[in-house]
Structures are given as structure tokens and as C-alpha cells.
Amino acid sequence: MMTKIAFIGLGNMGGPMAQNLVKAGYDVCGFDLVPEALDQLEQAGGSKAESVAEAVQGASAVISMLPAGKQVESLYLGDGGLFKTVGSHCLVIDCSTIEADVARKVGQQAEEQGIDFIDAPVSGGTAGAEAGTLTFMVGGRAETVEQARPYLEVMGQNIFHAGGAGAGQLAKICNNMLLAILMTGTSEALKLGIDNGLDPAVLSEIMNNSSGGNWVLEKYNPVPGVMPQAPASHGYRGGFMVGLMAKDLGLAMNTAAGSNTATPMASLAENLYKIHSIHSDSTLDFSSIIQLYDSVR
Amino acid sequence: MMTKIAFIGLGNMGGPMAQNLVKAGYDVCGFDLVPEALDQLEQAGGSKAESVAEAVQGASAVISMLPAGKQVESLYLGDGGLFKTVGSHCLVIDCSTIEADVARKVGQQAEEQGIDFIDAPVSGGTAGAEAGTLTFMVGGRAETVEQARPYLEVMGQNIFHAGGAGAGQLAKICNNMLLAILMTGTSEALKLGIDNGLDPAVLSEIMNNSSGGNWVLEKYNPVPGVMPQAPASHGYRGGFMVGLMAKDLGLAMNTAAGSNTATPMASLAENLYKIHSIHSDSTLDFSSIIQLYDSVR
Amino acid sequence: MMTKIAFIGLGNMGGPMAQNLVKAGYDVCGFDLVPEALDQLEQAGGSKAESVAEAVQGASAVISMLPAGKQVESLYLGDGGLFKTVGSHCLVIDCSTIEADVARKVGQQAEEQGIDFIDAPVSGGTAGAEAGTLTFMVGGRAETVEQARPYLEVMGQNIFHAGGAGAGQLAKICNNMLLAILMTGTSEALKLGIDNGLDPAVLSEIMNNSSGGNWVLEKYNPVPGVMPQAPASHGYRGGFMVGLMAKDLGLAMNTAAGSNTATPMASLAENLYKIHSIHSDSTLDFSSIIQLYDSVR
Amino acid sequence: MMTKIAFIGLGNMGGPMAQNLVKAGYDVCGFDLVPEALDQLEQAGGSKAESVAEAVQGASAVISMLPAGKQVESLYLGDGGLFKTVGSHCLVIDCSTIEADVARKVGQQAEEQGIDFIDAPVSGGTAGAEAGTLTFMVGGRAETVEQARPYLEVMGQNIFHAGGAGAGQLAKICNNMLLAILMTGTSEALKLGIDNGLDPAVLSEIMNNSSGGNWVLEKYNPVPGVMPQAPASHGYRGGFMVGLMAKDLGLAMNTAAGSNTATPMASLAENLYKIHSIHSDSTLDFSSIIQLYDSVR
């Protein structure tokens, strides 16, 4: 008999993640408020539930992928929450990107009720979700991470154990905050070169092989035409939307406020993204921030 | 008979670069205002000149490594400048880090007098100069770059042709501006993680293998103890001094003013380095900027 | 018979405010967790209560001055909250500086229970509290503001009606955010002049009579010696502490996050204050930020 | 016989300034490269010269109002410069806004040749030039300032003696740098209030009477409709153009680089103005920066 997994939240990320679990031979029972999302899972070989309760019935693992902390709290905590109904044998993996505080609170309540819980936000976007090449940043006990590894390896390529409860969220927040700085900073350096007559492709290659080297230059050049496969070369479509980067930067600013950490560069990057979304389309890829520096839109 | 090279400027960088040319079999005749620098070259097998004029006598190539644009102008241009005395058969390579404007002006005057000139600033620090592993960012004609390549390959590992006259300086300015952003940004991300309980080594590894990956995380971690060989693990001694980064950021700001390029992130990084030098020791390595975010100095 | 006022929170601000009400002939019954604060009120002619419930017994008005939103919520809301015990005849004035969201929530609950409530945070510091010259920024219905005016006029000089529930908090947050920008900006302009040989007193006078004129130049010059009565001329002691400005900037950042408003200058000012408190003493007056720009501390 | 004044540079500022001198009874002989500018002065009762040399012939004072330091240097210095031709009895007043360095250099050369020179940049815009209500910020010897006062009082209302040679330029640079910070900061504070439901006119009045008070709130509100006479209420037309503020901020950044002064807030304001001009019309009034924070343009 197949191991049953309940998958809550079948959106752009959750949908393909659940389907990868189906392909790997698991009995995946999904729940989502959008009927089409449920139908897609069914067509891919999974089953659909009419309620969360039905989905988790008899499941060995619950995986959730929800938009924000509020939904995660409401799914697991409180009188009607899953932590009251799933047994202590059940493994719970939350892949949503949410406040570390909320993740810690959920983790603590899980612990009190003897439930194995990890926070496991991902990076890699919808493309990574479909290809099963996501990166997981995981917070929780080491044993629980090992227990979850077989499932995570089906959906992703890299699994990093960042520390205790909430550490997965923290690592992702730190990483994406740094990514915003890399993108704005790389855009400025490239624009300075272009404005002074350098070829952006040549400058990109030089910097990427020097001390300016970074992920953006390697995989995600913001200048149209430098990398054929990058969103910049496709009208900044696809990729990681400005609105989502703005959400992650909001989480970072919130975290910095909580720990009283000075983050002048990150705060500026956050504000530049805010200004960019005011005057642009927040569904564009986040590398479109280079347009803020450029008169040609 | 050995090819003679005149080497002007035998400081912390120029000294070891000249010695590498000696080791490769060239007849290197040096000039510097500091007698000890001349003695060191002589001990290493080179010869010393009493004047610039004597140094360049019969040389096939002139290489200069000077502190600032002013000295470069004064060496090559004007009535007493080298461009009046070296013949058109002579190859001139300026390795100083200076304003692109000045490099372009020097390049243009060289061209007018039929002299082959390239601007070829380096990155890699004194360690790279000693090991012969510098990176050269070169501006000038493609033929001249090829002509210079044999000399450059003795002193460095990577030779990038960035474009026409001044392009070497521009590429270096853009790169180092980006490097300052990488360092301040990475420091903020690490500090945010540390303040929220993450282990900096674990967080560094996660981010370096994710979209936050960059040269600083790979080679130059600013948190003491994470990388045994990094300056951070040796009291921020050695490496690339705060004062030199400040100089390069000044060149970047000047270039951005000239081309009217918006560089909010770089301008902030420049000001953070200024504030850091006000309250700290500007001979520390530039990764010490993380102390600006930290109450423990 | 004298009108009874319950005053909750008798700290550095609340204490003298309550005493001014006593002087104006009101029967002020105070409550605070610190016994000394209660004794001081009694010595000034007020009376002390053993509990909040006792304080509000028969009071025509309740005035509160508490450190943060959490305490305000806990005082008024919930099962044990005052809104369950005070009658609808009672006027409630909260003078604490808290999140506008919390003020709105408290205001709404007051409204639902027929209680007249205003949020009325102050500016003017402890000196203004003692002298009865505070500025009140008030949110609530116009009738309630008129009803509260006689009490407010005893404690302050200017009473501004900013709008509906929460508007008092918002006005104060906007004002203090702008103040932080004025202080950092004025410090930079003065430092730039000083570093280039200008006399700070002369430059201050020129700018204050030109388009650079602002409250900081008029009342609160950050350069020691320019204004004998300013905190800068007394070792940055007294005045408005760095730690309190940091708290208000935190509220501003939080409000901007909620309304998705871009505030690059304010975010930078907030981070400069954070960096300043990391390396300095957060009980200094907030004009000490000029030390961040200065090598002489 | 009337006192003759030579006026060099009859643009938007210089033109009306020269005409005010005519009205006050001086014999003003003007020079400008634009024939229409000369004609206007003639119609207003002045006379026109065919060359600078002709203009200064027999003049008791030379006043210049030129676009940049380059033109000022070229007018006064060098072999063909005025300092070779005007006698030592002649008073020279430069009203251009230029680098303090250049002003100091010109001042020094004047001193060496026994010529009385002051740098006297103005604020107040074309309206102030026409109404004769300019503010002069003056650098030079006290005696020379007194000697120049009768002329300055015809053209302006406030005359501030900032210090020795170049001090007038420095004071203006510091003031306008601060003004840019006041404008961006006030825009952010107003936008934060508006986004949270406050009436901008009410909030403006509250802040202007509190510690947020500044020249922008008093005279130059950036929100359309709050002040009928402000450029914001007339499509941001008239007033002080974004392009000119950008020029002055460039001078400030240059001065800060020279004295190694940290100006994080001013550098950010400068970059925000750069971004604003990239996406907007640089002939708009500088209060249009509030549009950078706003989705409604």
C-alpha cells in the first residue's frame, strides 16, 4: 500500500510540487479552495479532498504551501486546527514563506503535542517546482529533517538544515534580502558601465570572473540580450515577480525590526523596489529593477 | 640579448610585479622615489635607474604602477613627459587605478604620437601581485592588448579586454563598486541571521549555494572564524584596506557624476565606508565594515 | 464637588501631566505600578488608587499615558478591560504614543460601547509636560475633542485635531519621522560646512533664514556651543533620547509597511539611528546623531 | 555722472538683476552672447556692449551671473581674463553658483592683483530676481562686502556674510543640499499621512507647528492644492527646476568628496532626484519629487 501524503495549497508552486510526489509513487490527496487546482492534481494521478480534514485522514505526512503566515496559523493552530486532529505519528512540513516568528510558534505548538514539524520554505520559483529542483531551507530537529528528506528530495535538489524551529524561514529571508541587494547593486554597476560606453556582456563576464562575481551575473543578468534564457531577454516575463520580492523584503524588514538589526542597504533596496512597483508592473520579473535606473523603458 | 622593460613605481604592488618579470627572464630596469624599493628590485636580479629617462632608455616596454591619475599624467604627458621621449616602437602599459577620463586622455595622446598604450588596472591585491595571479582589466586596441599579453601573463592569471582606451579603468571601477555593495549587503544579511540565532557558517553555506551566492561568501567571509584564511579571521589585517576601497568608491562616484548615472545603493555603500573610517581604522581590511552593524568591536 | 479624573500611568510624562491637572483644581486619582510615582502624585495634592478599578470609580474622565500599544490594549480591551467597567458617560483620553492600528482598534471598541474616546499623543518632552506646554495631536470625533479640550488645555498649549480615530497617532508618527530626517539632514549640512571651514553658528543662521530653515536650526542645533540651551551644549543630556526616537521611527516604518508607502529617506534615517545606538549611548539626546558624521566624540 | 556697472550674463536671473540696478539709477552696461538679452536691457534703460572689454571700460563694478565655474574662470582668469584689464579700483561681484574651489581660486588671483572680489551666489529664483528680493550668501573680506552692499541691496533683501573667499558658495551649497533633504523628507511624511487617510492640509499645518516644521511646509508644499501659490498647485511649473536642483546637488557631492564628509542622506536625496529626472521632466519644479512616491502622475 502506498504512503499517503496530504498536500494543502495547490497553487503555482504547490501544484507542481504535489505532482512530483505523485510521479514518485506517493498517494497524494490534495486540498485547495480553487476547484481547478484540485482537478489538475486529479488528472496528474492524485486525489482530491473536499476538506482539509478529509485530506489528512490516514496521511503519513502533511505538506502545506500557503500564501502567508495567517493561513498557516489558521491551518494548524486553534480549536479547528490540524494539530488537534493529526496524530503524533504524522510528519508535518510547511513549505510556505512566512514570518520566522509564526514558524517558531507553530513549531512550538507542534512540539507540545508531540507532532514532528519542520518549516521548509523553498527557492527556485515555479520552474524549480516543476522540474523538482527546488532548494529547501529547513528549520526543525535534525531527526525530523532526516525523516522528511525522502519527500523533499522528490521535490528539490538541495536540502539545507539551517537550525531549529523557524531557522528555515530565517535563512530564506536572509538569502532573499541579499538577493535583492545583489540585483539592485549589479544593475547599478552594469548601468554605470553602459552609460560610459562599455558593452554589458563584456563587463558582465569580467565582473563575474572577478570580485564582483555573484548569482545575478551568473544566472540572471538584468540587461536584455546578455543571457538569452534570462527573464530580461523576454520582456521581464516569467521568473520571480517584483510583488513577491517586495513581500519577502517586507518579511526581512519585519525581522530586522524585531531583532533591532541595522540594514541600511537592504532597507534602501526595499524602498527602491517599492518605488519601482509604484511606477511599473509588479508582475514583471524582479530583474526589471534595472529600468528604475534607465530612461528607456 | 634580453628584452628590456622599464618599470615605474615599485610599491607594494609594483615591486612584486616587477620581480615576477625578472623571474620570467626579462631585463627589468626600475625607477621609484623610495631607494629601498630600488634596492629590493636589484637584489631580485633587476637593475635600478636614477631617473625615469634612464629607466626607459632602450626599453621595449614601459610599465607603470602609480598611486593616482595626477602622477600618471605627470609621468606621460606635458613637455617633460615620457611620450616625448619614448619612440613609437615602445609599448606602454599603465597598471595604476585612476579616473577613466585621465586614462582616455593619456590614451589619446599616445595614439596621436603613434605610441601603443593600454590602461591595465589590476585586481587581486598584494597577494596576487606576489603570486603572479592578478586579474588585468584592459582598455585599448585589440592588437596592443595582444602585444602586451606576454608581459601581462607573467604577472597575472586573467586578462580581460574591456574595450577601447579607458575601458580597463571603467571595468575596474564598476567591479569594485559592485564589490563594496556585495560586502556591505552580505554583512547585513549575515548580521540579520546572527541576531536571530542562526549560525553564520551554516547561513553562509546556504546563501552561497542559493541565489544569494557571491564572491564575498565564497572567498572573503566578513565574520571572524567562518573562513580561517580570510582577513576577518586575522583581526581584519591584510587584504584590501578600507582606505583603498574608499578611494575606488570615490572614483566610482566621480564616474557616475560624469555620466549622470543613478547609483543609490553604491552611494550608500560609499557613505557607510566613510562613516566606518571615521570611527574605525582605515588600514583594516574592507570586510571590517561588518563592525558598523555590530556592537562588539 | 470637584470633577474626578482617573490618571493611569504616572511616569516621566504622565506624572507631571497629572500634577498639572491637580493644580487646575481637578480631583485626580492616579494609578501606576511604581509606588513612588503614586506617592509623588499624593504629595502634589492628588490621590492614589490601589487598582485601575478603584481609580476610575466615579471618574468623569480617564487619561492614560502608557509605554506601548500592548499596555493600552490590555488596559481598555478584553474581559477585564476598562471599557467593560466605565460607563458611557465617561470620557477616555489615551495620550500614549502607539501604533495607529491599535489606536483605531481601541477607538472602534469604545464606539461600539458608546464610550467617548480620543487618541491624543503628545510632543514637547518632559519639559513640556512639566510646563504644561505640550502639543496634542488628536484623533477622534470633533465633539469628543471639544469635550476633552478643557483637560488638554491644562496640560498643553497646542491642540490639533488630526482626524478620526487613530489620526492623532498617525500625525505624531509622520511628524517625528520628519523630525528624524530634519535632524540627520541638518547635521550633514552643518558638518559639510564645518569640514570646509565655515563657522557653524554663521552657517546655521544663514540656512535658518533661507530655504534650509527648519525646527532643528531654530530650536535644537546639534553642534555644541551654537545654542546654549540646546542638549548639544550640555553633552547631549536631557531632551529627546535616541532610544525614544528609535521607537518612534520603528512605529513609522511599521506604518509605512502597512500602507506600502515608499520612505527611502526615513528608512535611511532609521538605520542611521540604529547604527548610532549600536556605537553610542541610547540615552543621549537624539541630536547626538551628528557624532556619527564626526571623528571627534 | 552716474556710476557705471558692467553686468556680464543677462539670462533668466542676470537679466532682471541688471534691470533692478538700472531702476536704482545706475548706468548698467551689459554683455551676453544672446542678442535678445542685450536688447531687453537696452529697452529697460541700460546700454549694451559688443564685448566684455567694452562693457567693463570705466566701470566701478563688474557683476557676473554665469552658468558654471568654467565660464567664470574663463571670464576672469588667464591671459585674456578681466583681472588683467580691470584696474585695482574696480569691485568684482560674481553671483554665479559654482564650485567653492573655483571661487576660492578666482578670489585668490583677484587678491594677488589687488582687485576687490566677492563670491555672492543667490537664492530666491527668477521671482526673487525680478522683485529684487534675492538672498545673497557672500564670501570675501568684510570691507569688500560692505563696499558691495549698496549694489546687493538693490537686487536682494537679505545679505549674509558667510566668511572668506568661497564661503558664499559653500553656504549656498550646504543650504541647497539641506533643502533637497527637506523636500524629499517632507514629501515622504506627507505621503505616509495621505496613504493612511490623513488630510494633507491638516497634517501640513500640524507638522509645521510642531518639531517637523520647515521651509517646505511653510512656503512650498509639494501636494497639489494645499498652497494655491505653490508650484505644486500649478502643475509643478515655475519655481526651481529639478535640473537646477540636480546641478546644485552635484556641487554638494563634489564638495563632500573633497572634504571626505559623510552625507548619506544627501547622497540618497541626490540619487532620488536623478531617478526622478530619468522618469520625469527635469524642467518641472523640484517639489515634483513627491511624484516619485506616488502612483498618480
Side-chain angles (χ1 to χ4, degrees):
Chain A
M1 199 191 115
M2 284 197 292
T3 306
K4 178 176 173 187
I5 301 175
F7 205 110
I8 317 297
L10 300 164
N12 292 333
M13 293 296 295
M17 288 165 74
Q19 293 186 22
N20 279 329
L21 290 164
V22 171
K23 281 181 212 150
Y26 290 106
D27 168 15
V28 181
C29 182
F31 179 74
D32 196 290
L33 296 172
V34 177
E36 289 76 15
L38 290 169
D39 292 346
Q40 283 181 354
L41 179 62
E42 201 173 35
Q43 280 157 28
S47 62
K48 58 187 186 183
E50 307 249 312
S51 68
V52 165
E54 186 191 330
V56 304
Q57 187 86 33
S60 305
V62 177
I63 304 180
S64 53
M65 188 52 146
L66 299 167
K70 214 165 50 174
Q71 287 94 338
V72 174
E73 281 194 87
S74 135
L75 175 65
Y76 292 113
L77 308 185
D79 283 349
L82 276 187
F83 286 169
K84 297 275 178 191
T85 53
V86 298
S88 65
H89 62 285
C90 188
L91 170 67
V92 177
I93 303 172
D94 178 44
C95 297
S96 322
T97 293
I98 62 172
E99 298 83 357
D101 277 358
V102 175
R104 266 193 291 254
K105 184 175 159 192
V106 173
Q108 203 170 345
Q109 295 239 353
E111 178 129 20
E112 283 167 15
Q113 289 170 28
I115 293 166
D116 293 320
F117 175 86
I118 55 172
D119 52 289
V122 304
S123 77
T126 51
E130 283 158 20
T133 58
L134 293 169
T135 293
F136 286 92
M137 302 180 190
V138 188
R141 297 168 167 278
E143 314 83 89
T144 317
V145 179
E146 286 320 302
Q147 211 183 324
R149 192 176 290 274
Y151 305 113
L152 301 181
E153 281 177 341
V154 165
M155 301 180 282
Q157 213 159 30
N158 295 300
I159 293 130
F160 294 111
H161 184 199
Q169 299 297 348
L170 281 168
K172 178 160 185 203
I173 285 168
C174 292
N175 182 74
N176 282 20
M177 183 178 102
L178 181 51
L179 174 57
I181 295 172
L182 300 184
M183 186 55 89
T184 47
T186 302
S187 295
E188 290 185 11
L190 288 170
K191 193 62 180 34
L192 182 63
I194 293 168
D195 285 357
N196 285 279
L198 295 186
D199 177 324
V202 171
L203 178 59
S204 294
E205 206 216 330
I206 294 176
M207 295 196 298
N208 200 32
N209 286 285
S210 306
S211 49
N214 71 80
W215 187 87
V216 166
L217 283 172
E218 202 175 329
K219 304 263 176 110
Y220 220 95
N221 203 295
V223 177
V226 171
M227 283 184 175
Q229 83 285 11
S233 299
H234 301 94
Y236 298 103
R237 291 290 158 198
F240 183 45
M241 292 193 302
V242 165
L244 291 175
M245 175 51 96
K247 179 203 158 193
D248 285 4
L249 284 169
L251 290 176
M253 293 302 96
N254 198 259
T255 307
S259 60
N260 205 25
T261 306
T263 55
M265 296 289 285
S267 298
L268 180 53
E270 193 229 0
N271 278 289
L272 293 171
Y273 269 104
K274 270 186 182 164
I275 291 173
H276 181 48
S277 17
I278 287 172
H279 300 294
S280 182
D281 172 355
S282 68
T283 67
L284 292 182
D285 178 70
F286 84 116
S287 62
S288 63
I289 189 77
I290 200 172
Q291 297 182 329
L292 191 64
Y293 302 105
D294 202 355
S295 55
V296 186
R297 290 220 169 190
Chain B
M1 199 191 115
M2 283 196 293
T3 306
K4 180 177 171 186
I5 300 175
F7 206 109
I8 316 297
L10 300 163
N12 291 334
M13 294 295 295
M17 288 165 74
Q19 294 187 22
N20 279 329
L21 290 164
V22 170
K23 280 181 212 150
Y26 291 106
D27 169 15
V28 181
C29 182
F31 179 74
D32 196 290
L33 296 172
V34 177
E36 289 75 17
L38 291 169
D39 292 346
Q40 283 182 355
L41 178 61
E42 202 173 34
Q43 282 158 28
S47 63
K48 59 186 185 185
E50 305 249 311
S51 68
V52 164
E54 188 191 328
V56 304
Q57 189 85 33
S60 306
V62 177
I63 303 180
S64 53
M65 187 52 147
L66 298 168
K70 212 164 53 174
Q71 288 95 337
V72 174
E73 280 193 87
S74 136
L75 175 64
Y76 293 113
L77 308 185
D79 284 347
L82 275 189
F83 287 169
K84 298 274 177 189
T85 54
V86 298
S88 64
H89 64 283
C90 188
L91 170 68
V92 177
I93 302 173
D94 179 44
C95 297
S96 321
T97 293
I98 63 172
E99 298 82 357
D101 277 358
V102 175
R104 266 192 291 254
K105 185 176 160 191
V106 173
Q108 203 171 343
Q109 297 240 351
E111 177 129 22
E112 283 167 14
Q113 289 172 26
I115 293 167
D116 293 321
F117 175 85
I118 55 171
D119 50 289
V122 305
S123 78
T126 52
E130 283 158 20
T133 57
L134 292 170
T135 293
F136 286 92
M137 304 180 189
V138 189
R141 295 167 168 279
E143 314 85 90
T144 316
V145 179
E146 286 320 302
Q147 210 182 325
R149 192 176 290 274
Y151 305 113
L152 301 180
E153 280 177 342
V154 166
M155 300 180 285
Q157 214 158 30
N158 296 301
I159 293 130
F160 294 110
H161 184 200
Q169 299 297 348
L170 280 168
K172 178 159 183 200
I173 285 168
C174 292
N175 182 73
N176 282 20
M177 183 179 102
L178 180 50
L179 173 57
I181 295 172
L182 300 184
M183 186 54 89
T184 46
T186 301
S187 295
E188 289 184 12
L190 288 170
K191 193 62 179 36
L192 182 62
I194 292 168
D195 285 356
N196 285 279
L198 294 186
D199 177 324
V202 170
L203 177 59
S204 294
E205 206 216 331
I206 294 175
M207 295 196 298
N208 201 31
N209 287 285
S210 306
S211 49
N214 70 81
W215 186 87
V216 167
L217 283 173
E218 202 176 328
K219 304 263 174 113
Y220 219 96
N221 203 295
V223 177
V226 171
M227 284 185 176
Q229 83 287 8
S233 298
H234 301 94
Y236 299 103
R237 290 292 158 196
F240 183 46
M241 293 193 303
V242 165
L244 291 175
M245 176 50 97
K247 180 203 157 191
D248 285 4
L249 285 170
L251 290 176
M253 294 301 96
N254 198 259
T255 307
S259 59
N260 205 23
T261 307
T263 55
M265 296 289 286
S267 298
L268 180 53
E270 192 228 1
N271 277 289
L272 293 171
Y273 269 103
K274 270 185 181 165
I275 292 174
H276 181 48
S277 14
I278 287 172
H279 301 295
S280 183
D281 172 355
S282 67
T283 68
L284 291 182
D285 178 71
F286 83 115
S287 62
S288 62
I289 190 75
I290 200 171
Q291 296 181 330
L292 191 63
Y293 302 105
D294 202 355
S295 56
V296 186
R297 288 217 169 192
Chain C
M1 198 191 115
M2 284 196 294
T3 307
K4 179 177 172 187
I5 301 174
F7 206 110
I8 316 298
L10 299 163
N12 291 334
M13 292 297 294
M17 288 165 73
Q19 293 188 21
N20 279 329
L21 290 165
V22 170
K23 281 180 212 152
Y26 291 106
D27 168 16
V28 181
C29 182
F31 179 74
D32 196 289
L33 296 172
V34 177
E36 289 75 16
L38 291 170
D39 293 344
Q40 282 182 354
L41 178 62
E42 201 172 36
Q43 281 157 27
S47 63
K48 57 187 188 185
E50 306 248 314
S51 69
V52 164
E54 187 191 327
V56 303
Q57 187 86 32
S60 305
V62 177
I63 304 181
S64 54
M65 187 51 147
L66 299 168
K70 213 165 50 173
Q71 288 95 336
V72 174
E73 281 194 86
S74 134
L75 175 64
Y76 292 112
L77 308 184
D79 284 346
L82 275 189
F83 286 168
K84 297 274 178 188
T85 53
V86 299
S88 64
H89 63 284
C90 189
L91 170 67
V92 178
I93 304 173
D94 179 44
C95 298
S96 322
T97 293
I98 62 172
E99 298 83 356
D101 277 358
V102 176
R104 267 192 291 254
K105 185 175 159 192
V106 173
Q108 203 171 344
Q109 297 239 353
E111 178 130 19
E112 283 167 14
Q113 289 170 28
I115 294 166
D116 293 321
F117 174 86
I118 56 173
D119 51 290
V122 304
S123 78
T126 52
E130 282 158 20
T133 57
L134 292 169
T135 293
F136 286 92
M137 302 179 189
V138 188
R141 296 168 169 277
E143 314 84 271
T144 316
V145 178
E146 286 321 302
Q147 209 183 326
R149 192 177 290 274
Y151 305 114
L152 302 181
E153 281 176 342
V154 165
M155 300 181 284
Q157 213 158 30
N158 295 300
I159 293 130
F160 294 111
H161 184 200
Q169 299 298 347
L170 281 169
K172 176 157 187 203
I173 285 168
C174 291
N175 182 74
N176 283 19
M177 183 179 102
L178 180 51
L179 174 58
I181 295 172
L182 299 184
M183 186 54 89
T184 47
T186 301
S187 296
E188 289 184 12
L190 288 171
K191 194 61 181 34
L192 182 62
I194 293 168
D195 285 358
N196 285 279
L198 295 186
D199 178 324
V202 171
L203 177 59
S204 294
E205 206 217 329
I206 294 176
M207 294 196 298
N208 200 32
N209 286 285
S210 306
S211 49
N214 70 81
W215 185 88
V216 166
L217 283 173
E218 201 176 328
K219 304 263 176 114
Y220 219 95
N221 203 295
V223 177
V226 171
M227 283 185 177
Q229 83 286 11
S233 298
H234 301 94
Y236 299 103
R237 290 290 158 198
F240 183 46
M241 292 194 303
V242 165
L244 291 175
M245 176 50 98
K247 179 204 159 193
D248 285 4
L249 284 169
L251 290 176
M253 294 300 97
N254 198 258
T255 306
S259 59
N260 205 25
T261 306
T263 55
M265 297 288 286
S267 298
L268 179 53
E270 193 229 0
N271 278 288
L272 293 171
Y273 269 103
K274 270 186 182 164
I275 291 173
H276 181 49
S277 18
I278 288 171
H279 300 294
S280 183
D281 172 355
S282 67
T283 68
L284 292 182
D285 177 71
F286 83 116
S287 63
S288 63
I289 189 76
I290 199 172
Q291 297 181 329
L292 192 64
Y293 302 106
D294 202 356
S295 55
V296 185
R297 290 219 171 192
Chain D
M1 200 189 113
M2 283 196 294
T3 306
K4 179 176 172 188
I5 300 175
F7 206 110
I8 317 297
L10 299 164
N12 292 333
M13 293 296 295
M17 288 165 74
Q19 294 187 21
N20 280 329
L21 290 165
V22 171
K23 281 181 211 151
Y26 290 107
D27 168 15
V28 181
C29 182
F31 179 74
D32 197 289
L33 296 171
V34 176
E36 289 76 16
L38 290 170
D39 293 345
Q40 282 181 356
L41 178 62
E42 203 174 33
Q43 282 158 26
S47 62
K48 58 187 186 186
E50 306 250 311
S51 69
V52 164
E54 187 192 328
V56 304
Q57 188 87 32
S60 305
V62 177
I63 304 179
S64 53
M65 188 52 148
L66 299 167
K70 212 165 51 175
Q71 287 95 337
V72 173
E73 280 193 89
S74 136
L75 175 65
Y76 292 112
L77 308 185
D79 284 348
L82 276 188
F83 287 168
K84 297 274 177 193
T85 54
V86 299
S88 64
H89 63 283
C90 188
L91 170 68
V92 178
I93 303 172
D94 179 44
C95 297
S96 323
T97 293
I98 63 172
E99 297 82 358
D101 276 359
V102 175
R104 266 192 291 254
K105 185 177 161 192
V106 173
Q108 204 172 343
Q109 296 240 354
E111 177 130 21
E112 283 167 15
Q113 289 170 28
I115 293 167
D116 293 321
F117 175 85
I118 56 171
D119 50 289
V122 304
S123 77
T126 52
E130 282 158 21
T133 57
L134 293 169
T135 293
F136 286 92
M137 303 179 190
V138 189
R141 294 169 170 279
E143 312 85 90
T144 316
V145 179
E146 286 320 302
Q147 212 183 322
R149 193 177 289 275
Y151 305 114
L152 302 181
E153 281 177 342
V154 165
M155 300 181 284
Q157 213 159 31
N158 296 301
I159 293 130
F160 294 110
H161 185 199
Q169 300 296 347
L170 280 169
K172 177 158 184 200
I173 285 167
C174 292
N175 182 74
N176 282 19
M177 183 179 102
L178 180 51
L179 173 57
I181 295 172
L182 299 185
M183 186 54 90
T184 47
T186 301
S187 295
E188 289 183 10
L190 288 170
K191 193 61 179 36
L192 183 61
I194 292 168
D195 285 359
N196 284 279
L198 294 187
D199 178 322
V202 171
L203 177 59
S204 294
E205 206 216 331
I206 293 176
M207 295 196 298
N208 200 32
N209 287 286
S210 305
S211 50
N214 71 81
W215 185 87
V216 166
L217 283 173
E218 202 176 327
K219 304 260 174 116
Y220 219 95
N221 203 296
V223 177
V226 172
M227 285 186 174
Q229 84 285 10
S233 298
H234 302 94
Y236 299 103
R237 290 291 159 196
F240 183 45
M241 292 193 302
V242 165
L244 291 175
M245 176 51 97
K247 180 204 158 193
D248 285 4
L249 285 169
L251 290 176
M253 294 300 97
N254 199 259
T255 306
S259 59
N260 205 24
T261 306
T263 55
M265 296 289 287
S267 298
L268 180 53
E270 192 228 0
N271 277 289
L272 293 172
Y273 269 103
K274 271 184 181 165
I275 292 173
H276 181 49
S277 13
I278 288 171
H279 300 295
S280 183
D281 172 356
S282 67
T283 68
L284 292 182
D285 178 72
F286 83 115
S287 62
S288 62
I289 189 77
I290 199 172
Q291 296 181 329
L292 192 63
Y293 302 106
D294 202 356
S295 55
V296 185
R297 290 217 171 193

